[in-house]
Amino acid sequence: MATDTSANDILQTATQLRAQIGGEQYHDKLMEAIYTDAAQIADQSVSREGQRSRLGFDQLLDKALTHPVFGFIVMGLMFLGVFWLTIAGANIPSAILSDLLLGTVYGWLHTLATALSFPLWLSGLLIDGIYLATAWVVAVMLPPMAIFFPLFTLLEDFGYLPRVAFNLDRMFHKAGAHGKQSLSMMMGFGCNAAGVIATRIIDSPRERLIAIITNNFSICNGRWPTLILMGTIFIGATAPPALASFFAAASVVTIAVLGIFVTLLVSAFLSRSWLKGEASVYSLELPPYRPPRILQTLYTSIIDRTLIVLWRAVTMAAPAGAVIWLSSNIYIGDASIAGHLVNLLNPVGVLLGLNGVILVAYIVAIPANEIVIPTVLMLTLTLGRNIAGAQAGVMMELDEGQVYTVLTQVGGWTLLTAVNLMLFSLLHNPCSTTILTIWKETKNVRWTVVATILPIVLGVGVTFTTATIARLLGWV
Amino acid sequence: MMTTTSAAITLDQLQPGQIATVTTLNSTGLNRRRLLDLGILPGTAITVEMRSPLGDPTAYRVRGSVIALRREQSREIEITLPASVSESE
Amino acid sequence: MITQTETLPTTACATCPAFNSAQLRKLGINTEDWDYVVALAGNPNTGKSTVFNALTGLRQHVGNWPGKTVARAEGGFRYDDANYKLVDLPGTYSLLSTSVDEEIARDFILFGQPDVTIVVVDATRLERNLNLCLQILEITDRVVVALNLMDEANRHGLKVDERHLMRQLGVPVVPMVARRGEGIPELLSAVRQVVRGEFAVRPHRIQYRDLQIENAVNNLVGQLDARFPGLPNARWVALRLLEGDESIEHALAEGTLGDLQRGEAIKSQNERMTMGVVGYGD
């Protein structure tokens, strides 16, 4: 008889037995039984030597890092310190790299092309297009990334990020967001696509969507260099030289904090409108502090983060360089293709306190935000050539001071342009990788579109407002 | 066995320095399961480790780890305090 | 986003811990033609990814916060003339609460039928970690416990008696400091022992201390044994059926459960699981 037992019979028996035992109670009893065994085994296997419970040092540190007053001060100082070190430390290597790649090697390549009697269009496309864009990406991005990533990784390995989440949680709670959203947000500071994947730790679909849509407001790898450069050459320059890098760092931190603020604001908006609902409960484990292994962190974060991100930027920059060079050298009527595009978008750009070049750069940079600055520089130089009377190849050896000159003299930039570029860098569409990831994770066209469009709408609104205010007050 | 005070209180009322024992979980569904997974079940000893600078959530020490819970959760966990604070676990 | 396949495998890794490298060859993401499948399970933030990296030579990013690994990552290594495929499962506190990550981990251990499951356990939070460990032991007895973070336990004045733990759990227990590569050779040899059946596992069985539950479980186990003779985890399946676990009910109704007797579930399950795999390296 027993051998005839079918699957259905078993299921039926299970259902009957379940009714006898009683649902939730059963689960409770099960867990109780497991933990009774676990406690017994642990008790017998673990003995305490001397002091009980955790080290006094850990506890003391937690008291300081989550202190009602000092907690936030330490948090601010910690992030300010990271960016200050990044900006101050990147100065010299950046200058050396610029000299080398944009000066020596660039000149050498042109000499070589002439010696090989390359046609002008070919040397232009290869050297002024592909090489220059790539070299700029390396010169602009490598030094700050090689400093920023190891520092950030050290904080991460140490166990500080969950404390930040713990400190900020009440705000997320009030915004109707899940407690773990602060963790996926942290992840977004590295890469938004990774941040979007990290939202898988959130069980509730409603809160997960909020976390996905707002992840773009965490400044990612590709955007730090833009902010750091603008902060350094425009904001830092307004301060006395001794305080320049401090001012620059403060401006970058301000944008990052603004990003957290926007995250909360948009989350609150979403959880009260399209994604209505109560915040579901959560639990966050605060891991013990671990002494970071400095050498290993340096090694792995340079190899894994810096070089991979740099490689991505370079692979995007090379074709972008070709596209930019071609579009600025192929003429239709009285202007190049790029010229037409820039002219078309310029009125809108100016209205937003930006310009046509910046908007075109953001279209070119949809695959990777890393190439915004190189694109802006190339377009400004090639399109501004006639205005400034400069010739191709003359102003290529750009260190930060010269970038400033090019942008202000040739591009006509003001402090407003720089500030609004920083704001727009925070508030614009996610890069194409992130958009694709959002679609993969949500499988929903509507939410993918919302996540893509919403930041642009905000960006346009905010930059238009700051530009208008600045103009009304006569600052520009 | 510990002697306990008669008035049952909830976990959100627990003060730093006090050691309490969980008596009842009033939470339901996935939340209840999460708490059980973390080892927060009747009979478990629990203490306050620290509070967030903004007043909520609170981190509790339970079975050797530190777990942060929001107030709405800790309100659903009933605890008892031993009449005299003992150092035993 | 950086997918696992884009993470650069190392050939010579300067910071790799110096251990018995003569027998271990890290195969990175190259996991074709494996002889054994090893699953890596554990609570969040116990150093699972560190163990994964130490064995495969891959560099999945390891951060000190729970939930870092949200997807399954795979890698390979060669040890003592056999190729192993290592699958890093999402860190979970339990396998009973039916969240997505738990389901991924649970399904792989149950249907993927790994030859060995390494349970990485935090020595400083043994009680909480044993909760998961005991649950896994109910599903499979081919388990090696990696007792990680022994250095932290020492710092915190905790002394863990791994021999006693081994006797209680009935499976190999290897004390480790994975961050420094300590215990990796011992872990490998324990894995080999279990794979070859050289370690007489006597897995701990949870006592439910409730007559009603014990009776109900025994009743169902009897029926399951009759229908699927040799089902390796009938007791656990019975527990899940009593809870009304839908995916187990499905597996029973569709006959997938029956495949577990013959080990046929492995392939289809592996294929199905691989579809959803996204690892990220930064």
Side-chain angles (χ1 to χ4, degrees), chain A residues 1 13 29 56 115 130 150 156 187 307 341-342 357 384 434 470:
Chain A
M1 180 200 121
T13 317
K29 279 181 187 163
I130 294 173
E156 193 182 350
M187 196 70 198
L307 290 188
L341 252 177
V342 169
V357 167
T434 306

Side-chain angles (χ1 to χ4, degrees), chain A residues 293 296, chain C residues 10 13 15-21 24-28 40 47-60 62 76-78 86 88 148 176-185 187-188:
Chain A
R293 306 186 62 204
Q296 195 189 18
Chain C
T10 37
C13 163
T15 58
C16 278
F19 53 80
N20 194 352
S21 53
L24 173 70
R25 226 175 83 217
K26 299 163 186 185
L27 297 178
L40 203 54
K48 259 173 358 83
S49 299
T50 315
V51 174
F52 179 84
N53 292 347
L55 291 176
T56 60
L58 289 169
R59 284 191 304 266
Q60 228 201 350
V62 185
F77 64 90
R78 184 174 176 79
L86 188 62
D88 192 9
N148 195 22
M176 295 186 73
V177 184
R179 292 217 301 174
R180 294 204 295 259
E182 288 169 25
I184 296 282
L187 179 69
L188 285 166

Side-chain angles (χ1 to χ4, degrees), chain A residues 27-47:
Chain A
H27 188 82
D28 282 23
K29 279 181 187 163
L30 217 62
M31 292 306 298
E32 225 177 293
I34 298 172
Y35 262 111
T36 310
D37 278 17
Q40 212 169 56
I41 297 173
D43 250 20
Q44 293 166 358
S45 309
V46 183
S47 53

Side-chain angles (χ1 to χ4, degrees), chain A residues 27-28 31 35 52 54 59 62 66-68 72 166-167 169-170 173 177 179 281-286, chain B residues 31-32 36-39 41 49-54 56-57 61 63 65-68 70 72-73 89:
Chain A
H27 188 82
D28 282 23
M31 292 306 298
Y35 262 111
R52 56 193 300 279
R54 71 211 274 230
Q59 238 157 357
D62 261 341
T66 63
H67 188 273
F72 285 107
F166 180 67
N167 285 350
D169 182 67
R170 188 163 204 179
H173 190 186
V281 284
Y282 93 124
S283 59
L284 173 71
E285 183 171 6
L286 300 175
Chain B
N31 179 31
R32 184 189 188 89
L36 293 171
D37 290 343
L38 293 166
L41 33 89
E49 190 75 17
M50 62 211 179
R51 265 187 232 292
S52 165
L54 299 173
D56 190 48
R61 173 159 291 269
R63 293 183 199 265
S65 38
V66 181
I67 313 275
R70 283 175 177 174
E72 63 202 33
Q73 273 170 298
E89 276 201 356

Side-chain angles (χ1 to χ4, degrees), chain A residues 135-445:
Chain A
W136 263 328
V137 165
V138 174
V140 169
M141 289 185 60
L142 183 58
M145 282 197 325
I147 300 172
F148 175 72
F149 284 144
L151 288 175
F152 197 77
T153 311
L154 283 177
L155 278 186
E156 193 182 350
D157 288 355
F158 181 54
Y160 184 56
L161 298 193
R163 268 76 186 179
V164 174
F166 180 67
N167 285 350
L168 297 178
D169 182 67
R170 188 163 204 179
M171 294 195 245
F172 280 90
H173 190 186
K174 286 216 166 121
H178 194 276
K180 285 180 182 162
Q181 186 177 323
S182 44
L183 286 178
S184 62
M185 180 184 82
M186 289 289 161
M187 196 70 198
F189 281 123
C191 166
N192 293 136
V196 168
I197 295 176
T199 61
R200 289 183 188 174
I201 54 177
I202 299 170
D203 288 326
S204 131
R206 180 189 76 88
E207 287 155 316
R208 186 164 173 226
L209 258 178
I210 294 178
I212 287 176
I213 293 169
T214 56
N215 196 272
N216 187 42
F217 303 124
S218 296
I219 304 284
C220 70
N221 290 333
R223 297 186 265 172
W224 291 117
T226 309
L227 293 182
I228 291 171
L229 186 73
M230 288 299 113
T232 308
I233 63 176
F234 281 94
I235 315 284
T238 62
L243 293 173
S245 36
F246 173 75
F247 265 65
S251 69
V252 176
V253 172
T254 306
I255 296 291
V257 170
L258 197 65
I260 298 179
F261 187 67
V262 174
T263 301
L264 290 166
L265 223 60
V266 172
S267 301
F269 166 74
L270 288 172
S271 68
R272 281 164 182 77
S273 54
W274 299 327
L275 292 168
K276 234 189 192 101
E278 285 296 303
S280 74
V281 284
Y282 93 124
S283 59
L284 173 71
E285 183 171 6
L286 300 175
Y289 293 104
R290 286 183 190 145
R293 306 186 62 204
I294 294 173
L295 285 179
Q296 195 189 18
T297 303
L298 278 178
Y299 177 81
T300 50
S301 61
I302 285 177
I303 299 292
D304 286 354
R305 291 193 162 181
T306 310
L307 290 188
I308 286 175
V309 170
L310 190 71
W311 177 243
R312 188 175 102 100
V314 165
T315 51
M316 291 296 174
V323 168
I324 296 162
W325 190 87
L326 286 173
S327 61
S328 10
N329 284 279
I330 298 172
Y331 279 72
I332 300 174
D334 57 341
S336 63
I337 298 177
H340 282 299
L341 252 177
V342 169
N343 287 337
L344 185 74
L345 289 174
N346 205 44
V348 183
V350 170
L351 210 58
L352 303 180
L354 303 166
N355 59 38
V357 167
I358 294 175
L359 294 186
V360 171
Y362 268 100
I363 295 171
V364 175
I366 287 175
N369 273 278
E370 288 87 340
I371 57 175
V372 164
I373 288 294
T375 309
V376 163
L377 284 175
M378 279 183 93
L379 286 175
T380 304
L381 276 171
T382 46
L383 297 176
R385 200 181 297 157
N386 303 328
I387 312 164
Q391 287 165 4
V394 172
M395 296 179 71
M396 292 311 173
E397 198 180 327
L398 295 175
D399 63 22
E400 277 167 357
Q402 285 160 320
V403 169
Y404 179 78
T405 315
V406 167
L407 292 178
T408 50
Q409 305 283 312
V410 184
W413 286 38
T414 61
L415 187 59
L416 174 70
T417 322
V419 170
N420 275 9
L421 174 57
M422 289 175 91
L423 290 169
F424 197 72
S425 173
L426 169 68
L427 302 169
H428 71 279
N429 56 287
C431 73
S432 54
T433 315
T434 306
I435 297 174
L436 196 68
T437 310
I438 293 173
W439 184 78
K440 275 188 193 155
E441 294 292 313
T442 58
K443 290 281 178 222
N444 183 311
V445 176

